[in-house]
Amino acid sequence: MNLNTRECTLGGYEIFGVQFFPDGCSDSFSVVVYVATPESHLFLGPDTPEGLAMQIACSSGQSGHNIEYLFRLADFMREKAPHADDEHLFTIEKLVRKRLGLSTDKIVPWTEMVANSDDLRSWHKVLSQTTRDGALTSVTRACKLQG
């Protein structure tokens, strides 16, 4: 599925093109930003970091689990914009990592987690435990019980 179709047509996001200026680089580049608005049927509205972390840890879509998206976004910000201390993003990342039993003291980037199956074992096994009919994963069931 095309990203624009998924995010704009199905998800109701607005799309914007902006210039990104990474730290330590004299060149900028164009990026696409998708913004959720209250008009979207998928818009959840404001929530606490704990509520957002639970939603992310318990949700997936056609493109995969939301955990991967969160971790990759946090990794990108640490690499390309280390001066931008996005407390909101990193708090949610830490809460999701804690919920999954991953270390919050030493943040392992997503690509290293994927390369090292031991780092993924604590949550990947849980995420892959789905029934044949695509029912809820055990992490989602656990989130529903805790939520």
Side-chain angles (χ1 to χ4, degrees), residues 55-98:
Q55 183 68 34
I56 290 168
C58 298
S59 299
S60 63
Q62 293 178 349
S63 299
H65 208 282
N66 291 354
I67 293 166
E68 179 179 358
Y69 177 83
L70 171 67
F71 289 179
R72 284 179 178 260
L73 177 60
D75 291 346
F76 176 87
M77 291 300 291
R78 275 193 281 282
E79 179 184 335
K80 301 294 185 187
H83 73 282
D85 185 21
D86 191 333
E87 184 179 338
H88 181 70
L89 171 65
F90 297 131
T91 296
I92 294 168
E93 177 197 26
K94 186 175 184 176
L95 290 166
V96 169
R97 286 180 181 275
K98 184 176 179 181

Side-chain angles (χ1 to χ4, degrees), residues 10-142:
L10 301 176
Y13 284 65
E14 292 186 17
I15 185 171
F16 298 95
V18 298
Q19 282 299 114
F20 181 75
F21 298 87
D23 279 355
C25 184
S26 60
D27 296 326
S28 66
F29 54 90
S30 298
V31 297
V32 174
V33 178
Y34 295 92
V35 179
T37 66
E39 290 76 30
S40 169
H41 66 285
L42 298 174
F43 186 72
L44 298 175
D47 203 346
T48 64
E50 293 79 10
L52 292 170
M54 180 181 292
Q55 183 68 34
I56 290 168
C58 298
S59 299
S60 63
Q62 293 178 349
S63 299
H65 208 282
N66 291 354
I67 293 166
E68 179 179 358
Y69 177 83
L70 171 67
F71 289 179
R72 284 179 178 260
L73 177 60
D75 291 346
F76 176 87
M77 291 300 291
R78 275 193 281 282
E79 179 184 335
K80 301 294 185 187
H83 73 282
D85 185 21
D86 191 333
E87 184 179 338
H88 181 70
L89 171 65
F90 297 131
T91 296
I92 294 168
E93 177 197 26
K94 186 175 184 176
L95 290 166
V96 169
R97 286 180 181 275
K98 184 176 179 181
R99 177 172 291 279
L100 297 174
L102 297 172
S103 173
T104 58
D105 295 327
K106 181 183 182 286
I107 302 298
V108 177
W110 177 261
T111 53
E112 289 180 33
M113 288 175 60
V114 172
N116 184 350
S117 62
D118 290 340
D119 289 338
L120 288 176
R121 189 166 298 148
S122 64
W123 72 273
H124 185 267
K125 183 171 72 172
V126 172
L127 292 178
S128 64
Q129 294 173 353
T130 57
T131 61
R132 289 184 186 190
D133 62 358
L136 299 174
T137 64
S138 56
V139 73
T140 303
R141 286 191 294 273

